Amino acid sequence: MPYTPLQLAEAFMKTGELDDALAALDDHLAVHPADDAVLRMRAAVLLRLGTPEHLKRALADLEHITIPTADDWVQRSIILERQGELTQAVEMMQTALQHQPDDERTTERLVQLEIAHGNLEAALDVVRSQARNWRWLQWEADILVMLGNDVLASARYGLVLAQLNELGESDHVRAIGGRVVLARAECYRRMGQTDAARDYYLAAKAIYPDDPTIDFNLGLLLAAEGNTQAAIDQCRSAYQRARAALQDEMRLTLAHEAYQAIAQGVMGL
């Protein structure tokens, strides 16, 4: 008994033969053009193929679905983002969120898109409409950093750490806590509060003992306190231990006028 086009498509999708899967789905939809489930399947295949023409066809398939679900709106947002249409991608996510307002993944994607589109205040509004738990408080703090409000951001990071402490010990909580401790240390460093910054960098070092960026930032604190030679020694040691990508970030930091003497001592710039 011959296989149906849909059966062939499913088999081809499992083996990663996307062009063959697409041809089989085309055959099925030529006979059943209003089959929403298969329109979704074809859109997924087209998205995986990913050329501009495939993305255009995927979007058209999703637009023809009779009763779109929240996930359909999310998929349309993903395609529009790939096409560089960030404003429309945001609009699609707003519609998706109307369909499932309590879904954290949908909300986070909307926040990420607003940030990517430069709509930091809009992203902040979305975050502040959520429950005041550590996840959303962390997002709020991150966005406040982007807005240049280190004072309020550091306070929000403090609330995150307090809530994480109530969750008990686990690798997951420890990883999140380490990231937040580092972020709060950065806030204090930018605010010029070197003692508080040092305390948090050292706390982060206990979690990430082999991270050279922590030692590098501790060196920057020494520079801020006027201990130039100690700062050079600390930053040079961290720079030499860092991977190339981290060294690039360190060079960007040292390009700041305030660190000119440190840059000369570390790299001879």
Side-chain angles (χ1 to χ4, degrees):
M1 181 177 179
Y3 291 109
T4 66
L6 188 54
Q7 289 172 326
L8 287 171
E10 290 172 340
F12 286 135
M13 289 171 69
K14 288 179 181 178
T15 58
E17 298 171 86
L18 299 182
D19 288 324
D20 290 331
L22 180 59
L25 291 168
D26 287 345
D27 289 343
H28 177 88
L29 286 166
V31 180
H32 307 284
D35 189 330
D36 283 356
V38 180
L39 283 170
R40 291 186 178 99
M41 288 174 62
R42 188 168 69 176
V45 170
L46 290 163
L47 180 57
R48 288 172 65 185
L49 287 166
T51 69
E53 183 59 31
H54 288 134
L55 294 177
K56 184 178 178 180
R57 288 186 61 194
L59 190 60
D61 277 351
L62 292 169
E63 288 171 348
H64 281 94
I65 288 174
T66 307
I67 304 176
T69 65
D71 189 59
D72 294 327
W73 294 105
V74 171
Q75 293 303 307
R76 289 172 68 173
S77 174
I78 291 170
I79 294 167
L80 287 162
E81 183 185 13
R82 293 268 295 273
Q83 293 175 323
E85 301 291 344
L86 284 179
T87 298
Q88 293 182 56
V90 168
E91 292 172 357
M92 295 300 104
M93 287 309 303
Q94 290 170 338
T95 302
L97 197 58
Q98 290 171 9
H99 283 73
Q100 48 185 25
D102 298 324
D103 186 81
E104 289 187 340
R105 292 178 63 186
T106 302
T107 305
E108 284 192 325
R109 173 164 168 76
L110 174 58
V111 170
Q112 290 165 341
L113 276 174
E114 294 282 21
I115 291 171
H117 202 31
N119 300 330
L120 297 182
E121 293 290 353
L124 193 60
D125 288 342
V126 174
V127 166
R128 285 177 169 169
S129 70
Q130 305 305 304
R132 305 301 283 167
N133 58 37
W134 65 265
R135 180 189 300 276
W136 298 111
L137 288 168
Q138 184 177 201
W139 268 112
E140 181 179 359
D142 290 346
I143 296 168
L144 287 166
V145 167
M146 298 175 203
L147 289 167
N149 192 342
D150 283 317
V151 174
L152 192 53
S154 65
R156 293 295 179 269
Y157 285 133
L159 292 175
V160 173
L161 291 172
Q163 290 194 12
L164 290 176
N165 286 338
E166 296 177 359
L167 297 180
E169 283 290 330
S170 73
D171 290 342
H172 179 63
V173 170
R174 184 177 175 85
I176 296 167
R179 186 260 176 197
V180 174
V181 166
L182 270 175
R184 199 176 198 198
E186 287 289 283
C187 287
Y188 283 127
R189 181 176 67 80
R190 288 189 294 266
M191 288 189 290
Q193 297 185 28
T194 56
D195 288 342
R198 182 174 288 106
D199 287 342
Y200 279 92
Y201 280 129
L202 291 174
K205 189 174 176 64
I207 300 171
Y208 307 117
D210 299 322
D211 186 344
T213 60
I214 297 173
D215 289 327
F216 181 81
N217 285 316
L218 286 167
L220 297 182
L221 295 182
L222 291 169
E225 294 169 339
N227 197 338
T228 302
Q229 188 55 55
I232 290 171
D233 294 342
Q234 178 97 2
C235 289
R236 184 193 296 120
S237 174
Y239 180 83
Q240 291 172 346
R241 289 187 288 113
R243 299 188 305 275
L246 289 178
Q247 287 182 337
D248 290 343
E249 294 179 12
M250 292 174 180
R251 284 196 295 272
L252 283 174
T253 300
L254 292 177
H256 193 283
E257 185 179 355
Y259 300 128
Q260 184 176 2
I262 309 302
Q264 290 175 344
V266 171
M267 297 173 293
L269 298 179

